[in-house]
Amino acid sequence: MRLSDIGELALLEIIRKRFARKSKLRTKQKGIIVNIGDDAAVIKPRAKKLLITTDMMVERVHFDLSFTTPYQLGFKLVSVNASDIYAMGGTPHYLLLDIAMNKITEESFVNSFFDGIQDAIKLYGISLIGGDLSSSKKDMVAAASLIGYAEIPVKRSGAKPGDKIYVTGSLGDSACGLEVLKKADSCQLSAVSKKITAANYPLIAKFKKTGLTWNTIAPLLKRHLMPEARNSKNLIKYATAMIDLSDGLFIDLSRLCNESRAGARIYIEHIPVSNQAKEASSALGLDLFKLATSGGEDYELLFTAPPDYKPRAMSHELKITCIGAITKKGMVAVDKYGKESALKAEGYQHYGIQR
Amino acid sequence: MRLSDIGELALLEIIRKRFARKSKLRTKQKGIIVNIGDDAAVIKPRAKKLLITTDMMVERVHFDLSFTTPYQLGFKLVSVNASDIYAMGGTPHYLLLDIAMNKITEESFVNSFFDGIQDAIKLYGISLIGGDLSSSKKDMVAAASLIGYAEIPVKRSGAKPGDKIYVTGSLGDSACGLEVLKKADSCQLSAVSKKITAANYPLIAKFKKTGLTWNTIAPLLKRHLMPEARNSKNLIKYATAMIDLSDGLFIDLSRLCNESRAGARIYIEHIPVSNQAKEASSALGLDLFKLATSGGEDYELLFTAPPDYKPRAMSHELKITCIGAITKKGMVAVDKYGKESALKAEGYQHYGIQR
């Protein structure tokens, strides 16, 4: 069955049943007064300061339906927005969706997309409270707006010279995962399954030749296709400035520095990369340094903290790595021999500008 | 100059200068703590209840760039969202935009689009606080999320049997305007000017033959291309239920009745239509009844109020017309001879469902 057989009103009713009528108690606890199905949602926020962010995903720009499953797409849409809320030191709460799909879209695709959204909002403790459904003539477009709470928002502008610069997790995994997918495109690796499973791996004949195992590529694919946003809860009281890495380490660092009117010195050797990314980039002839510094969609947190901050003392499940320090001005990269060079703010920019 | 020459970062900076750095005092008064340029905006709302709505506009679905100017498009995007906030009895305050445009888009187009947004947010007293810019491979997509305040939200679900049914303004003007544009498509009537002016009228050779004057078609075009949302301020204390007319009178009325678990009796002869719509539909052979009851995008308010409500006593600049009454169940249309028939909930539905 396709959307043209279901129609907008019936689809709305399916969404409403799935998301809005699950638990009236929970709805009340969350401060939701009017849920999906009116001209606007009504909430009674439980905090004095609200965070509001929005991010969109456009087919053939942000995603390729031969690489990603609808489940992963739905999950990622929520994650990239949650990441923005965490990057402000907040907690995500209320979600609105704008979805434009071609009328020939299969019902199973739509269901799987909403499965991904549902699993993600459960993971982050978010409620879907509204949205807009549209048709599209060609590409699918999905945008989400997410509202969160923050006691003390952590801005991009608070970094001071002398602060150290930290990142969560490892960088370049997502970009590396994308390269793996590009090389496997004809096999439509992931589009066959709801989640990434080893069962799909035998399909990728190409990779058998490289000697790469499923255990190596699975975490890279997962980081690209359905990243989990990093909860900043344990960082808030230390962080002087924070940003999430969506367009690439160097470009996002330069944004934080611009807002803070400061500079940075980054020690290249300290940039954390995973063993999987090392293996895969080596086997496939990829430049891991470039992926880790200019590859987009890491969705790790970059933050600054005063020199006395001790990341080891934190009960955070994620590795936190110091990669440099905030300076008065200028952006400098230091290589393993101590050689300095100007750090170029490279990363993903829409409209494909050439410099 | 095209977007591919400007780039995302420079465009962001242009938008930020235009919208976020105008008046720091006003920003503070509006409770905006962090404006455009961080991972999320931060607001300290001035009311306990927040309204949140979102609406998207997709090229070749909601708009045709040979009919509409980018100025009108920007204006309309804000209006359709403001209309949702007013339909809840609220006041609009904070706007977020998601815009996906092809990289070959001209800078003048983008500027004009933002002129329209700027004029609209000024009209409604809204502040742009954030958004997301993306490229698109083909169609332009623009989505807006709007946050408002409401002391006592007016829902769709409050209508009681015995309440009378009212609409603001006149219905079918927008749909009539769209029909006029369709017949004039080769002339690209409006795309040549920022606003609708008589200066463009001589271009429409076709209409000279029909005898229609600029004074007749201009208000219809305006209602379709850049509608102003109707402020419900003076209705809030009377309205028991409210909805804005975006998909057509009958379909939107049926939504209100469904939510209120009630029925309606509509007097066809009482449905307000403008003299311009009468003239144009007559000259062009259009079914005005169909346009007024099932044509979309009126952006008028439909509301219900107890029998003792007197619309004449209100200081509202807009005409308010009683078109029927809420009943216990069933949807009935009554014609001028008093003949009753079942009211069909027809109107615009995405995905082009056939029934």
Side-chain angles (χ1 to χ4, degrees):
Chain A
M1 201 140 86
R2 295 170 183 269
L3 282 180
S4 51
D5 304 313
I6 304 169
E8 181 189 357
L9 295 188
L11 180 58
L12 260 175
E13 202 45 42
I14 291 168
I15 295 170
R16 197 172 173 184
K17 270 186 194 151
R18 188 198 267 252
F19 290 98
R21 289 188 183 144
K22 280 220 147 173
S23 160
K24 290 214 168 171
L25 177 68
R26 182 161 161 76
T27 300
K28 207 175 165 189
Q29 281 170 344
K30 289 281 281 184
I32 301 166
I33 299 169
V34 177
N35 213 319
I36 300 172
D38 215 309
D39 292 287
V42 185
I43 58 166
K44 199 172 170 181
R46 301 272 191 258
K48 283 183 183 166
K49 286 182 190 164
L50 291 185
L51 305 176
I52 310 138
T53 188
T54 187
D55 258 315
M56 74 194 306
M57 288 168 59
V58 180
E59 188 177 347
R60 296 194 292 159
V61 175
H62 296 87
F63 63 90
D64 181 330
L65 288 175
S66 59
F67 289 173
T68 187
T69 64
Y71 177 89
Q72 293 158 348
L73 192 63
F75 190 97
K76 187 168 179 175
L77 177 64
V78 179
S79 284
V80 302
N81 279 280
S83 183
D84 278 328
I85 296 292
Y86 287 141
M88 293 296 290
T91 50
H93 289 275
Y94 310 106
L95 183 75
L96 284 94
L97 293 175
D98 289 297
I99 304 166
M101 289 178 287
N102 197 298
K103 66 179 178 178
I104 61 164
T105 307
E106 289 288 344
E107 189 185 17
S108 59
F109 179 100
V110 180
N111 277 333
S112 176
F113 178 70
F114 280 110
D115 283 344
I117 286 173
Q118 199 161 15
D119 281 359
I121 69 176
K122 201 174 161 191
L123 176 71
Y124 302 118
I126 296 167
S127 302
L128 180 68
I129 59 169
D132 189 23
L133 288 173
S134 170
S135 42
S136 75
K137 289 291 179 194
K138 189 160 172 60
D139 295 318
M140 178 180 177
V141 177
S145 294
L146 185 56
I147 296 176
Y149 301 156
E151 289 303 315
I152 304 155
V154 182
K155 299 192 272 184
R156 294 179 182 176
S157 58
K160 299 265 178 304
D163 284 354
K164 287 186 178 170
I165 301 168
Y166 297 88
V167 292
T168 60
S170 51
L171 306 188
D173 285 357
S174 171
C176 204
L178 176 60
E179 293 303 321
V180 169
L181 283 169
K182 279 183 186 169
K183 289 185 194 291
D185 57 358
S186 60
C187 309
Q188 302 207 337
L189 165 69
S190 63
V192 291
S193 73
K194 181 177 156 183
K195 290 182 186 175
I196 301 157
T197 60
N200 298 310
Y201 188 55
L203 292 173
I204 326 170
K206 275 187 188 174
F207 289 101
K208 288 196 173 161
K209 293 179 203 154
T210 64
L212 285 174
T213 65
W214 175 250
N215 286 343
T216 298
I217 64 167
L220 305 176
L221 297 182
K222 188 168 183 196
R223 196 67 204 151
H224 181 71
L225 293 172
M226 43 179 295
E228 282 185 27
R230 306 307 190 187
N231 191 331
S232 60
K233 186 175 61 180
N234 294 325
L235 309 173
I236 301 165
K237 50 181 164 178
Y238 309 104
T240 51
M242 189 151 47
I243 187 171
D244 75 322
L245 297 178
S246 55
D247 293 337
L249 170 66
F250 283 176
I251 201 168
D252 288 325
L253 173 67
S254 75
R255 284 170 174 153
L256 184 143
C257 287
N258 283 342
E259 294 301 319
S260 295
R261 295 164 195 273
R265 171 186 297 264
I266 296 296
Y267 297 93
I268 297 301
E269 283 296 291
H270 294 185
I271 295 171
V273 288
S274 68
N275 288 331
Q276 290 89 346
K278 278 182 199 164
E279 265 187 64
S281 58
S282 163
L284 303 172
L286 302 168
D287 181 348
L288 182 54
F289 169 76
K290 209 174 160 86
L291 296 177
T293 59
S294 307
E297 303 201 296
D298 284 311
Y299 298 110
E300 298 292 349
L301 296 170
L302 170 78
F303 66 99
T304 57
D308 59 348
Y309 164 64
K310 299 267 183 298
R312 282 165 195 247
M314 286 178 50
S315 64
H316 203 280
E317 61 176 357
L318 263 187
K319 189 178 62 174
I320 292 173
T321 311
C322 178
I323 60 167
I326 294 293
T327 58
K328 280 189 185 170
K329 62 177 184 177
M331 306 281 288
V332 172
V334 185
D335 73 9
K336 60 181 170 182
Y337 307 108
K339 197 185 150 205
E340 296 187 0
S341 59
L343 182 154
K344 282 182 199 156
E346 285 174 341
Y348 188 77
Q349 270 208 60
H350 283 289
Y351 317 124
I353 191 167
Q354 308 288 330
R355 291 207 191 275
Chain B
M1 202 139 87
R2 294 172 184 267
L3 282 181
S4 51
D5 304 313
I6 303 169
E8 182 190 357
L9 295 189
L11 180 58
L12 260 175
E13 202 46 40
I14 291 166
I15 294 169
R16 197 171 172 183
K17 269 187 194 149
R18 188 197 266 250
F19 290 98
R21 290 189 182 143
K22 280 219 147 171
S23 159
K24 290 213 169 172
L25 177 67
R26 182 161 161 75
T27 299
K28 206 175 165 189
Q29 281 170 343
K30 289 281 282 184
I32 301 165
I33 299 169
V34 176
N35 214 320
I36 299 171
D38 215 309
D39 293 289
V42 185
I43 58 165
K44 199 172 169 180
R46 301 272 190 259
K48 284 184 184 164
K49 284 181 192 166
L50 291 185
L51 304 176
I52 310 137
T53 188
T54 187
D55 258 316
M56 74 194 306
M57 288 168 60
V58 179
E59 188 176 347
R60 297 194 292 159
V61 175
H62 296 87
F63 61 90
D64 181 329
L65 288 174
S66 60
F67 288 174
T68 186
T69 64
Y71 176 90
Q72 292 160 347
L73 191 63
F75 189 97
K76 187 169 179 175
L77 177 64
V78 179
S79 284
V80 302
N81 279 280
S83 183
D84 278 327
I85 296 292
Y86 287 141
M88 293 297 290
T91 50
H93 289 274
Y94 311 105
L95 184 75
L96 284 94
L97 293 175
D98 289 297
I99 304 164
M101 289 178 286
N102 196 298
K103 67 179 180 179
I104 61 165
T105 307
E106 289 287 345
E107 187 184 19
S108 58
F109 179 99
V110 180
N111 278 331
S112 177
F113 178 71
F114 280 109
D115 283 344
I117 286 173
Q118 199 161 18
D119 281 0
I121 69 176
K122 201 174 160 190
L123 176 71
Y124 302 118
I126 295 167
S127 302
L128 180 68
I129 59 169
D132 189 25
L133 288 173
S134 170
S135 41
S136 75
K137 289 291 178 193
K138 188 159 173 60
D139 295 317
M140 177 177 176
V141 177
S145 294
L146 185 56
I147 296 174
Y149 301 157
E151 289 303 315
I152 305 156
V154 182
K155 298 191 273 184
R156 294 179 181 175
S157 58
K160 299 265 179 300
D163 284 354
K164 288 187 177 169
I165 301 168
Y166 298 87
V167 291
T168 60
S170 51
L171 306 189
D173 285 358
S174 171
C176 205
L178 176 60
E179 293 303 322
V180 169
L181 283 169
K182 280 182 185 170
K183 289 185 194 292
D185 57 359
S186 61
C187 308
Q188 303 207 336
L189 164 70
S190 63
V192 291
S193 74
K194 181 176 158 186
K195 292 180 187 178
I196 301 157
T197 60
N200 298 311
Y201 188 53
L203 293 173
I204 327 171
K206 277 188 188 173
F207 291 100
K208 287 194 174 164
K209 293 179 203 157
T210 65
L212 285 174
T213 66
W214 174 251
N215 287 341
T216 298
I217 64 166
L220 306 176
L221 297 182
K222 189 168 182 196
R223 197 67 204 150
H224 180 72
L225 293 172
M226 41 180 296
E228 282 186 27
R230 306 307 191 188
N231 191 331
S232 60
K233 186 174 61 180
N234 295 325
L235 309 172
I236 300 165
K237 50 181 165 179
Y238 309 104
T240 50
M242 189 150 47
I243 188 171
D244 75 324
L245 297 178
S246 54
D247 294 336
L249 170 65
F250 283 176
I251 200 167
D252 288 325
L253 173 66
S254 74
R255 285 170 174 154
L256 184 143
C257 287
N258 282 343
E259 294 300 319
S260 295
R261 295 165 193 273
R265 172 187 297 265
I266 296 296
Y267 297 92
I268 297 300
E269 283 296 290
H270 294 186
I271 294 171
V273 288
S274 68
N275 289 331
Q276 291 89 346
K278 279 183 199 164
E279 268 187 63
S281 58
S282 163
L284 302 172
L286 303 168
D287 180 349
L288 183 54
F289 168 76
K290 208 175 160 84
L291 296 177
T293 59
S294 308
E297 303 202 298
D298 283 311
Y299 297 110
E300 299 292 349
L301 296 170
L302 170 79
F303 66 99
T304 57
D308 59 347
Y309 163 65
K310 299 267 183 299
R312 283 167 194 244
M314 286 177 51
S315 63
H316 203 280
E317 61 175 357
L318 264 187
K319 190 177 62 173
I320 291 172
T321 311
C322 178
I323 60 166
I326 295 292
T327 59
K328 281 190 184 166
K329 62 177 185 176
M331 306 281 288
V332 173
V334 185
D335 73 10
K336 60 182 170 182
Y337 307 108
K339 197 187 150 202
E340 295 187 359
S341 58
L343 182 154
K344 283 183 198 153
E346 285 174 341
Y348 188 77
Q349 269 208 61
H350 284 289
Y351 317 122
I353 192 167
Q354 308 288 329
R355 293 210 190 273

